[in-house]
Amino acid sequence: MCMRPCVRSSRALPLRKPTPLAPKLHPATGLPLSRTRGQHLLHNQGVIYKIVEAADIQASDAVYEVGCGTGELTMRLLPLARKVYTVDTELRMVEETKSRAQSGGFQNLEALVGDALRVPMPRRFDVCVSNLPYKISAPIIFRLLRRISEGHPWRAAVLMLQREFADRLLSDPGEKGFSRLALNVRLFAKAVRLFDVKPGSFIPSPEIHSTVIRLEPRVPAPEVDFNEWDALIRVIFSRRRKTLRAQFKKLMWCSLSGTKPSAIPFPELVSSVLKEESMLRERAFAMDLDDLHLLLKAFNRRGIHFASVHQGAAEAEDLDFATSGSGGVGSFPQLTSDFLYP
């Protein structure tokens, strides 16, 4: 049997570093764009026209825009609105937008550099129009809903979203994508899908499709505090396919501060509310607004209230607290959970 000797080359091939791809440049401004930062700028003028048309901006309106980019959408808003507020994290984008507005003779633009989740919203605005950075779509929508609850409503919001995200936002109770966000939107606003946008409408092109939606606050606004409502929904949607009995039994524990404990242990008090409302075996993903609104009122009648507490500069962690008392004034037991939006 002939064995062929194993020959090993003494000259190893040199390792070559991959050539970094040059950043995509905006064709009109020459500004480099970064995919990792979610900088997919809308350049399709037909889509921009449809967005502005759907916003139905009046001459007396103040418009709020998140993420001005190079000002393609902003320049369409300026001649229609009394005032346009815009915010972007990139100084070069804001400077480009300001320069274009100044060249066009517009004096009604107020552009800020900063994180839209940290920079306060304008005190008053009538319409929100934005090609939202997809990473902050949910927090921005929650801020818009909270504004309704605080008594400073806006008239309409026309938003560009990731298509899959829009599908979840518009889903109905019992559907796979039905979530806490969809429920909150359903309570405070009417949501309508307007049209889809292909990746080629952006520079650089994303790997996903987009959807434009329109939100309109419900009139009259629901008589519910957004923070308390959202804290309750956060608890029961942490495991949305579990029964409410299992949710509250698993998630909560009680801490006492400055008051004597009631005769009924707190977990039993919570269970008694669920039993009285015939909701022990209900599951969050299949419940509608009326059921959840009734549940919140039932908890309130028994002295159980919910509140959201945000910790950290970026609100990265949320703790939900429920407080219970016997109708008196002072400190109450606190019921805590620590679940984030899925």
Side-chain angles (χ1 to χ4, degrees):
M1 181 176 181
C2 178
M3 299 292 293
R4 182 173 296 177
C6 180
V7 180
R8 180 176 297 175
S9 173
S10 60
R11 297 183 60 186
L13 295 176
L15 296 177
R16 192 184 67 164
K17 294 182 179 180
T19 304
L21 297 176
K24 190 76 174 182
L25 299 179
H26 190 272
T29 64
L31 292 175
L33 305 176
S34 172
R35 290 178 182 270
T36 58
R37 295 182 181 180
Q39 292 176 340
H40 301 281
L41 304 186
L42 181 63
H43 73 94
N44 187 321
Q45 296 300 313
V47 173
I48 294 174
Y49 174 81
K50 291 173 67 175
I51 291 174
V52 174
E53 185 180 38
D56 191 24
I57 299 170
Q58 307 299 316
S60 60
D61 285 345
V63 179
Y64 176 49
E65 180 190 20
V66 177
C68 60
T70 56
E72 293 294 332
L73 179 57
T74 313
M75 293 301 296
R76 292 292 190 97
L77 300 174
L78 288 172
L80 301 176
R82 174 182 58 83
K83 189 79 173 180
V84 175
Y85 301 95
T86 187
V87 58
D88 200 293
T89 57
E90 294 257 357
L91 174 62
R92 59 199 177 103
M93 298 293 184
V94 172
E95 289 180 341
E96 173 64 22
T97 302
K98 284 183 175 181
S99 176
R100 294 185 64 181
Q102 187 175 12
S103 300
F106 297 107
Q107 303 297 324
N108 56 335
L109 174 66
E110 184 173 326
L112 298 177
V113 180
D115 185 345
L117 299 180
R118 298 172 181 266
V119 175
M121 285 183 171
R123 292 185 178 180
R124 176 187 173 275
F125 63 91
D126 303 284
V127 182
C128 178
V129 183
S130 182
N131 171 23
L132 281 179
Y134 295 152
K135 293 181 180 180
I136 64 171
S137 295
I140 290 296
I141 292 175
F142 273 118
R143 295 190 75 182
L144 290 172
L145 299 179
R146 186 175 291 111
R147 173 63 70 95
I148 299 174
S149 175
E150 293 171 350
H152 304 283
W154 32 270
R155 189 176 73 249
V158 178
L159 308 174
M160 176 95 71
L161 307 172
Q162 180 180 343
R163 187 169 65 182
E164 289 77 6
F165 180 84
D167 290 341
R168 293 180 59 193
L169 187 146
L170 299 171
S171 59
D172 294 320
E175 293 182 352
K176 181 179 180 181
F178 191 63
S179 64
R180 166 177 152 244
L181 176 62
L183 187 61
N184 281 333
V185 169
R186 187 178 291 262
L187 175 66
F188 289 96
K190 301 175 184 177
V192 179
R193 185 193 303 269
L194 297 181
F195 54 89
D196 292 336
V197 182
K198 296 180 179 180
S201 297
F202 301 86
I203 298 176
S205 299
E207 297 180 355
I208 55 177
H209 286 70
S210 303
T211 296
V212 177
I213 68 165
R214 178 183 170 94
L215 301 178
E216 294 183 11
R218 294 190 180 276
V219 179
E223 296 181 0
V224 61
D225 177 79
F226 178 83
N227 290 327
E228 180 172 17
W229 167 268
D230 186 54
L232 169 65
I233 301 306
R234 187 187 299 270
V235 170
I236 67 175
F237 266 84
S238 60
R239 299 184 302 167
R240 65 195 189 101
R241 293 190 177 274
K242 295 290 185 179
T243 64
L244 295 189
R245 179 181 182 179
Q247 286 284 66
F248 283 97
K249 184 178 181 180
K250 179 71 175 178
L251 297 182
M252 302 188 302
W253 60 95
C254 182
S255 63
L256 195 63
S257 175
T259 185
K260 294 181 180 180
S262 62
I264 304 176
F266 195 71
E268 293 184 15
L269 180 62
V270 173
S271 296
S272 68
V273 174
L274 297 176
K275 185 176 181 179
E276 290 171 2
E277 299 299 318
S278 302
M279 293 187 181
L280 284 171
R281 298 188 179 278
E282 293 290 342
R283 303 173 192 271
F285 81 98
M287 298 179 71
D288 59 23
L289 282 176
D290 292 337
D291 292 336
L292 291 166
H293 203 183
L294 289 174
L295 178 60
L296 179 59
K297 288 183 176 180
F299 276 127
N300 290 168
R301 286 196 300 269
R302 299 295 294 273
I304 302 174
H305 297 273
F306 296 80
S308 294
V309 178
H310 298 290
Q311 294 185 341
E315 297 184 353
E317 295 182 353
D318 298 325
L319 295 179
D320 296 323
F321 294 85
T323 61
S324 171
S326 57
V329 179
S331 300
F332 304 109
Q334 292 185 336
L335 203 61
T336 69
S337 65
D338 55 351
F339 288 85
L340 297 173
Y341 171 67

